[in-house]
């Protein structure tokens, strides 16, 4: 039976009372502190574990390398029986090859043929490289002194048996699979993949490719959000579009909550007449309106629907995208068991001018050209082309700023967010 994690608390999205616009960092700290993994656990074969989140530390059941071995093709011997100047050692009959060790003993003052990866035979602690040897009739010659242990690998020099090779919470990379295999693991304990349902709301929104009447727009958010979730390494569930109709939305949220660990909606999250996401969450009694000091971003509606967290994102594609990267993605990290993720940013010179008043954080669509951060020509939050143009975000802190070309700014590539 997979372990069932405890439910989230009803007030897990409650922001401090009385604060009009909550600073981004305060909102993030709250998500970090109040969320916890909501996924079960299972054990999967190593081969299926890439991209999954480790549910427990991986402890090496075998050292890597398991025994001392040679790093090169050459000749092995005991260093203590050699000295300075020319060395001529008689060769023992036989050799040690990778996977086919020599099971005799090499007497002091003798040498043996060894091939890369071969276990060092008894009596051998040092190897000279082929290229540094001359081989005659039953002897090998090389110049001393040779450093004891040269060209060998110690048992466990990479990882020792019993060491933690990979920590719980890690999203497994291809290299992690190499390491897990090297230290003797064939199966890994992982969290169930986080399932994230996505739905769009709005009477004006129509399916891409459908006939669009006057006043209608194609659904830009849903394809984007579904693809973002997959890129983050989670399972995206398409819950379609819902018109601005409370009963229809209620029904769709019910279905989404029955299949997903988290629901992302876009549109209808403010407090207007047709903002049914926020209205329903409020009705359910577990709704928090998040007014974050952030641009681009309108109020977010956060709540629980039948115990499942719902992120009600703004409808504007740029705001939906930014809020997903800034808030939803780190939240997904915690819910998925992989923990809180801070995106890695880089300090680079600006290629733009920007004047900003204090009081909120701003994210500009940006990319790096010639070592400088360029920003998109318009900050309009409906400009989908700017999202596509950008390769990252420039983050400008909450205070006032006057940025001139050449000033240093913080650039966060989309890759740092897992895109
Ligand atoms: P709302 O948050 O519902 O007030 O929507 C804000 C803006 O985003 C409006 O101009 C909507 O038409 C637009 N919008 C809402 N949902 C989508 C969507 N799925 N794709 C593109 N634009 C949308
Ligand atoms: Mg709407």
């Amino acid at each position: 039976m997979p372990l069932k994690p405890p439910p989230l608390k009803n007030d897990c999205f409650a922001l401090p009372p009385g604060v009009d616009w909550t600073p981004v960092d305060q909102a993030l700290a709250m998500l970090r502190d109040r969320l916890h993994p909501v996924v079960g656990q299972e054990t999967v074969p190593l081969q299926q574990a890439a991209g999954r989140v480790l549910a427990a530390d991986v402890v090496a059941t075998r050292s890597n390398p398991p025994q001392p071995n040679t790093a090169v093709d050459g000749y092995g011997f005991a260093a203590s029986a050699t000295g300075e100047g020319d060395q001529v050692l008689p060769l023992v009959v036989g050799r040690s090859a990778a996977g086919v060790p020599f099971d005799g003993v090499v007497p002091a003052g003798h040498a043996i043929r060894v091939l890369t990866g071969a276990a060092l035979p008894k009596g051998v602690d040092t190897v000279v490289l082929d290229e540094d040897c001359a081989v005659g009739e039953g002897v090998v010659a090389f110049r001393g002194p040779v450093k004891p242990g040269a060209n060998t690998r110690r048992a466990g020099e990479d990882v020792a048996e019993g060491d933690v090779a990979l920590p719980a919470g890690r999203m497994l990379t291809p290299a992690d699979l190499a390491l897990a295999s090297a230290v003797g693991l064939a199966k890994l304990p992982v969290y169930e993949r986080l399932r994230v349902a996505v739905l769009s709301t709005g009477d004006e929104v129509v399916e891409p490719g459908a006939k669009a009447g006057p006043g209608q727009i194609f659904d830009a958010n849903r394809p984007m959000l579904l693809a973002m979730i997959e890129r983050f390494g989670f399972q995206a569930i398409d819950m379609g579009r819902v018109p601005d109709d409370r009963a229809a939305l209620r029904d769709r949220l019910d279905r989404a909550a029955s299949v997903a660990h988290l629901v992302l909606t876009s549109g209808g999250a403010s407090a207007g007449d047709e903002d049914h996401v926020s209205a329903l969450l409020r009705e359910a009694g577990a709704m928090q309106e998040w007014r974050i000091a952030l641009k681009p971003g309108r109020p977010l509606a956060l709540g629980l629907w039948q115990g499942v967290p719902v992120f009600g994102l703004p409808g504007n594609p740029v705001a939906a995208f930014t809020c997903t990267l800034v808030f939803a993605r780190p939240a997904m990290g915690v819910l998925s068991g992989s923990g809180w993720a801070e995106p890695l940013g880089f300090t680079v010179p600006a290629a733009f001018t920007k004047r900003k008043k204090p009081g909120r954080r701003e994210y500009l669509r940006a990319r790096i050209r010639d070592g400088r951060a360029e920003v998109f020509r318009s900050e309009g939050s409906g400009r989908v082309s700017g999202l596509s143009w950008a390769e990252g975000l420039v983050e400008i802190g909450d205070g006032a700023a006057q940025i001139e070309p050449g000033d240093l700014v913080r650039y966060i590539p989309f890759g740092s967010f897992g895109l």
Side-chain angles (χ1 to χ4, degrees), residues 201-204 244 266-269 274-275 315:
T201 70
D203 283 341
E204 76 281 28
D244 288 321
S266 70
E274 296 294 346
D275 287 328

Side-chain angles (χ1 to χ4, degrees), residues 105-260:
V105 179
V106 176
H110 288 60
I112 185 173
R113 177 75 177 142
V114 293
L115 301 178
T116 305
L120 297 184
K122 283 201 187 70
V124 172
D125 58 19
T126 302
V127 172
V128 265
L129 199 63
D130 266 352
E131 288 86 326
D132 297 333
C133 293
V135 183
E137 199 52 42
V139 293
V140 60
F142 55 87
R143 178 137 319 148
V146 177
K147 199 171 154 229
N151 297 311
T152 66
R153 307 166 176 144
R154 280 179 295 108
E157 71 172 19
D158 184 26
V159 183
E161 183 183 330
D163 280 358
V164 173
L166 294 163
R170 204 173 152 81
M171 197 177 257
L172 293 161
T173 65
D176 293 342
L177 301 194
L179 179 54
S181 178
V183 299
L185 281 301
K187 293 184 200 153
L188 295 174
V190 295
Y191 285 110
E192 185 187 7
R193 207 185 277 278
L194 186 78
R195 293 187 300 274
V196 184
V198 175
L199 61 94
S200 294
T201 70
D203 283 341
E204 76 281 28
V205 180
V206 298
E207 203 63 10
K211 202 166 164 325
Q216 294 190 309
I217 56 167
F218 294 115
D219 188 349
N221 290 340
R222 209 167 92 246
M224 171 178 79
L225 294 171
L226 289 166
M228 289 172 88
I229 290 160
E230 293 284 342
R231 285 279 186 107
F232 296 153
F234 308 124
Q235 186 184 335
I237 303 176
D238 186 357
M239 296 303 297
R241 286 170 300 110
V242 196
D244 288 321
D245 174 280
R246 208 158 293 187
L249 183 58
R250 185 182 289 119
D251 176 62
R252 199 69 62 92
L253 285 175
D254 283 348
R255 284 200 276 141
S258 71
V259 294

Side-chain angles (χ1 to χ4, degrees), residues 348-354 366-376 389 394 403-409:
V348 297
F352 59 90
T353 303
K354 160 97 186 162
R367 62 185 195 184
I368 303 283
R369 290 293 181 273
D370 299 325
R372 290 160 28 124
E374 304 179 339
V375 296
F376 190 58
W389 173 93
V394 161
I403 296 165
E404 300 296 340
D407 288 353
L408 295 179
V409 293

